[in-house]
Amino acid sequence: MTGRPTRLGAALTALTTIAAGLAVGPAPAYAAGDHGYAAQIRRASYGVPHITARDFGGLGFGVGWAQAEDNICVIAEKVVTVSAERSRWFGATGPTDPNVRSDLFFRKAIDDRTAERLLEGRRDGVHSPSDDVREQIRGFVAGYNAQLRRAPVTDPKCAGKPWLRPLTELDIWRTAWASMVRASSRALLDGIVAATPPTAAGPAAAQDAPGAAAVVAARDGAPAGVGSNAYGLGGQATVHGGGMVLANPHFPWEGAERFYRMHLKVPGRYDVEGAALIGDPIVEIGHNRTLAWSHTVSTARRFAWHRLTLVPGDPTSYLYDGRPEKMTSRTVTVQVPGPGGVPVPVSRTFHDTRFGPVVVVPGTFDWTTTSAYAITDVNAGNNRAFDGWLRMGQARTVRELTEVLDRHQFLPWVNVIAADAKGEALYADHSVVPRVTDELAAACIPAPFKPLYATSGQAVLDGSRSACALGADPDAAVPGILGPAHLPVRYRHDYVTNSNDSYWLANPAAPLEGYPRIVGDEGTPRSLRTRLGLDQVQQRLAGTDDLPGRGFTTKRLWQTVFGNRVYAGELVRDDLVAACTAHPTATSSAGVSIDLTAACAVLKGWDLHVDLDSRGAHLFTEFVMAGGVRFADGLDVTNPVHTPRRLAVGDPRVLTALADAVRRLDGVPLDARLGDVQTEPRGERRIPIHGGRSEAGVFNMIINPLTPGDGYRRTVHGSSFVMAVALGPGGPSGRQILTYSQSSNPNSPWYADQTLLYSGKGWDSIKYTEAQIQADPNLRTHRVWW
């Protein structure tokens, strides 16, 4: 089933010319205006822009123009956040409100001139951003501002709002920095804001830091709220013998982390189709003519803890090699709406050390009169990312891509999975990781914190000795991070995969082992989603799945992604049905006796999928989320893809979970079609949504919280940009979609079209070559300049 976009007629393929904020008139291709910017924008089906310019400044101008036309409110709100003005414009309930904490954090970054300092140094893309990237950012800002001047904003979220304003270049560099520290300082934001020294009378009153506490409790370093699947298929796994890539990032469906599809070209220098986070000027997941890649969120940690030994009587001084060092302090102030809307100042004093900021996590990392804890955030100085993605798009093979990774070491918190037209596939976690080698961990992690390191990869180093500093690897791009020799990489001609577990089983035939624990774990059970992802590839290559033939085409890859198998159901459903048949009554966790007869019958008839027609899929999902999947067996390291697999039917918590699921679904028919109870609003429509929870072992992950008594009525997270691309002598081909559609503006023609397409498992085709672009029935071309 293809997308079949509406044919708008030959008139839409006619060339139109728009002068940004000036008069409309003819202009030669890429002719720059008075300010030096020009781009050609060809809108294809579903509003996807194909942007061409003669230089990177013009390319950025076109991207800024197009993104502002489709998602201006998303970009504007991101800028409000990094400008420390969320409380001012969106309100706050008090000094501990999340908006206030965010504002304090970003106000300190502004006062510290964090973004400005990222632009200092040699412009080689490693020490500071290159001229190409700076021009692209400058052009993006000009394009956004030109679009803002040109036409009234129609998105009701920000139309006429005082927080919608022209951008500056620093705004974009600040949003870029905020993305870099997503899994480190920003994840620990409330712990940084809450850090207050003890007084002579004792410890300061503890402030909650739930975000930081969640980071400490997490089993790995993946930032909350994001995930992904990706396949890199080599020539041995594909029917045509060239490489293929599946990109399937799982990201929020609303807000600042939405993706945006685009095709960007500077003739002779850059030609990449794919997607980027809204507000970023460069393709981050995509393909060129001979190389394709995707990213998945890595398990590696992005910061290291340092336990400080404080100077007696002075809790803001610490000992380093026996000598006292004074913390630096900075007091910042933000304005918070008070009674009657009158601004009220809220101030906080932050404390920094030679390592980085002091962080408090009550009950785990407290600031007492004898000790405190600081972090080194190795992404806080990461100014290399845009250059890295730019050069990645210029690479021709996976080997050249690895050279880019090794030179720039820019990936903030993601793996890369790639393949090339020659049929070679790549997995690499060459992300930015603190330089905590096994030797450093053994010598410098105090005994009480060794279990934390073993279980979660969080390193708490002795901050009183210079011998325990992070140091520098000779092959690292910058000091303090692991060099490429300490990071996992695997080349294959069959396949590599990742679904947010560690590097260990990128390909089970050749496990990656022996890397520092801070990067990830080895020899431990994989998630059900990881296991399904591997099982799907193995079955396709063996020809034992439900599809004809062996090996992958883009059609078969698309069918695999949206096959909507529920791996947990395949493993435990029959045993669960046997258990609830034998025990038709169970007590819920609230102590209520629940009749399981109807639920048991529904599960027996369920098709083990999360398709629109699947009946009872939501019941199994609630059973999983209530903690019902408990295995009786453990991991068999000789068969890690398929173990553990036996339901612990004797564990009373299994049927308790089923009873809890029945209670939660009160008012929602247990045997309802998934498409009737799991939907996404678009205007007056409720679009049926297929897919399900990762915890149930669903590859096509969708998170749509339950509205009691009604169903699942708004998707908050899950499959977003999906790309299945094949690489060969004729250029790239395949399928792609942006599940939540190109625009967040309800008045845009591109607000719901791809969401309807996703509902029917449809797709838009890869449009990279000129022939592919020209074949689009809805192609519309215009030129913009300033």
Side-chain angles (χ1 to χ4, degrees), residues 304 306 320 355 376 378 433-437 440 444 461 465-483 486:
H306 304 269
Y320 192 70
F355 307 108
T376 295
V378 290
V433 186
R435 187 188 169 276
V436 179
T437 62
L440 185 69
C444 290
L461 303 173
R465 294 186 287 148
S466 59
C468 294
L470 292 178
D473 276 352
D475 59 340
V478 295
I481 66 174
L482 291 173
H486 280 121

Side-chain angles (χ1 to χ4, degrees), residues 10-36:
L12 291 189
T13 66
L15 178 68
T16 62
T17 308
I18 301 172
L22 304 175
V24 176
Y30 324 133
D34 293 340
H35 295 83

Side-chain angles (χ1 to χ4, degrees), residues 114 182 272 288 301 314 323 341 499 537 545 552 566 602 781:
T114 299
R182 171 74 162 77
V272 178
N288 58 31
R301 294 285 176 176
D314 184 359
R323 298 177 180 175
S499 291
V537 174
D545 57 12
F552 282 98
V566 183
V602 168
T781 302

Side-chain angles (χ1 to χ4, degrees), residues 146-158:
Q147 181 62 245
L148 181 61
R149 289 192 303 269
R150 170 182 170 265
V153 172
T154 63
D155 189 338
K157 182 172 182 178
C158 65

Side-chain angles (χ1 to χ4, degrees), residues 58-244:
L59 191 66
F61 182 81
V63 175
W65 176 287
Q67 289 196 15
E69 187 172 19
D70 298 336
N71 294 287
I72 195 166
C73 297
V74 175
I75 300 171
E77 185 174 349
K78 290 178 71 169
V79 171
V80 167
T81 297
V82 300
S83 300
E85 294 184 326
R86 292 195 65 85
S87 302
R88 178 185 179 188
W89 299 122
F90 306 139
T93 59
T96 60
D97 185 276
N99 280 346
V100 176
R101 292 180 176 185
S102 173
D103 288 346
L104 290 166
F105 175 82
F106 284 108
R107 184 73 252 172
K108 180 177 184 293
I110 293 170
D111 291 353
D112 284 345
R113 301 184 71 254
T114 299
E116 291 89 335
R117 287 188 285 110
L118 293 177
L119 301 177
E120 298 171 356
R122 190 164 69 251
R123 299 184 178 192
D124 58 0
V126 177
H127 297 88
S128 81
S130 67
D131 288 333
D132 286 342
V133 164
R134 291 169 192 258
E135 283 300 318
Q136 201 163 4
I137 295 294
R138 194 171 295 123
F140 181 93
V141 169
Y144 175 102
N145 291 340
Q147 181 62 245
L148 181 61
R149 289 192 303 269
R150 170 182 170 265
V153 172
T154 63
D155 189 338
K157 182 172 182 178
C158 65
K161 300 294 176 65
W163 50 272
L164 177 62
R165 61 166 175 80
L167 300 183
T168 69
E169 293 171 48
L170 274 178
D171 289 329
I172 300 303
W173 289 115
R174 286 169 180 160
T175 63
W177 178 79
S179 182
M180 294 300 102
V181 299
R182 171 74 162 77
S184 44
S185 293
R186 200 171 172 191
L188 294 166
L189 178 155
D190 53 4
I192 295 172
V193 173
T196 304
T199 65
Q207 298 184 41
D208 289 337
V215 171
V216 173
R219 73 180 185 89
D220 58 41
V226 290
S228 303
N229 302 312
Y231 290 163
L233 303 174
Q236 295 175 3
T238 67
V239 172
H240 77 294
M244 291 176 61

